[in-house]
Structure formats: structure tokens, C-alpha cells
Amino acid sequence: MNQNKMINKTTIIIAILALITVAALSVTIWAVFFREEGDGGDVVLAPDYAPQNKEENAEPIPDDTGDKMENPQGGGAVSLTYLNEVTIDISDKAAALYFANPGKSNQDILIQIAIRDTVILQSGTLSPGNQVKLLNLLEGAENKLQPGGYNGKFIVLYYDPISGEKSMVNTEIPITITVVK
């Protein structure tokens, strides 16, 4: 009788382990072969070196003196001016915003906008003394959005203007995003 109980327990344990193995294999096969490209959240990697392209929508800041801030050797100093409200028109595939890198800054910047950790917009390089009021969405980002309100964030990346090397620090600024058609 004890031998039958032992065989039953062993059979049950083997059956459970077989089910777990089949489930794990099924998930792995789905993830490798059948998952759509965007299922894991589209990741936009921040460049290690500043993009060669300057932001095409950048314009000089009126009446900006350009007097540089002091900074420690090997460091940087940045002054940012922005509005924390952004309007995205999905039919134009563009975002209306205000973001400035005043002339007193000594770092170039790159701006990203993210909603739920998905980057939907990335600017070109914005040099000190310049501002932007309009930025284009990343390709296909308009398909991920519906009209309405979203919580999002500016992600500001800093780059040395001479070497183009990315700073170890970045800034995340909470923003409110309104999406319209």
C-alpha cells in the first residue's frame, strides 16, 4: 500500500513539472516567434554622443545675453526654461511646447518626451541660446495615442558641446500632455 501512495505522489509531481515545462516552452515560443515588435514597449535609446543634426525647429532666444555660468572643471552647468504643458496633434504628428536652453548654459541638450516609459518624441541637438516651440513625433508614435490627457515627462539629456559626449546625468520633468486630432 505504501508503494502505491509513493507511486501516486511521484506521478503527480511529474505531471505538475511537465505542465510547468510545457507552459514555459509555450511562453518562450510566443515571445520569440509570435510577439509583435511593439509588445515590449518601444525603447528609444539615448545616444552616447550628441546627434550630428541640430534641431531643425530651433530658433534663437530673443534678448538672450549668453553670459555663461561658471562650472567645475570636467563638469557642466545648464539653465533650462520650459512650460510643463504640451499639446500633441496626432494628425500633424507634432508636439507644441516650449523648451529653451538659455545662452548661459554650457551644455548642448537633447529632449525626449515619454508617456508611460515609451518615448514618443526625440529632438535633435539644442545648443545654448536656442529654444523650440514645435517638435515632430517619432515615426509611428501617433498610432499609439488617442485624443485625451496624459501624464508624461520631458527627459533632458546633456552633451559636451566640444566632444559631443553624453553627461552621466539627465533630468526628468513631469508634464501634462493633451492629445488632439
Side-chain angles (χ1 to χ4, degrees):
M1 189 81 135
N2 281 341
Q3 211 169 18
N4 282 342
K5 283 185 180 181
M6 194 126 159
I7 292 173
N8 283 342
K9 284 183 181 179
T10 305
T11 305
I12 290 172
I13 290 173
I14 291 173
I16 290 172
L17 290 174
L19 283 172
I20 291 171
T21 303
V22 168
L25 284 172
S26 298
V27 169
T28 302
I29 289 170
W30 169 81
V32 171
F33 296 107
F34 299 107
R35 184 172 65 164
E36 290 183 25
E37 195 67 29
D39 284 353
D42 293 336
V43 177
V44 175
L45 300 175
D48 293 327
Y49 293 90
Q52 295 299 314
N53 61 321
K54 298 290 183 186
E55 175 52 48
E56 62 186 29
N57 294 315
E59 54 189 54
I61 301 170
D63 302 322
D64 187 25
T65 62
D67 296 335
K68 298 290 182 196
M69 298 184 330
E70 288 188 34
N71 65 305
Q73 184 174 351
V78 178
S79 172
L80 303 174
T81 306
Y82 60 89
L83 294 176
N84 62 356
E85 295 179 358
V86 174
T87 300
I88 294 175
D89 187 328
I90 52 180
S91 60
D92 288 343
K93 302 178 186 178
L97 55 100
Y98 180 77
F99 208 102
N101 186 10
K104 61 184 173 180
S105 297
N106 58 29
Q107 298 282 295
D108 289 343
I109 64 171
L110 183 140
I111 305 161
Q112 295 178 331
I113 292 181
I115 298 174
R116 297 185 196 129
D117 295 324
T118 298
V119 176
I120 59 167
L121 175 154
Q122 180 170 291
S123 73
T125 304
L126 190 62
S127 299
N130 288 288
Q131 65 185 4
V132 288
K133 297 179 182 175
L134 182 74
L135 291 172
N136 297 318
L137 298 177
L138 291 173
E139 189 164 330
E142 72 280 1
N143 299 325
K144 299 175 184 178
L145 302 171
Q146 296 293 318
Y150 294 85
N151 292 321
K153 61 186 170 185
F154 282 129
I155 302 169
V156 186
L157 308 167
Y158 306 100
Y159 294 89
D160 182 277
I162 297 167
S163 69
E165 189 174 353
K166 183 179 178 298
S167 170
M168 293 175 55
V169 195
N170 64 9
T171 302
E172 293 187 4
I173 304 167
I175 57 175
T176 302
I177 301 170
T178 303
V179 176
V180 298
K181 265 190 171 183

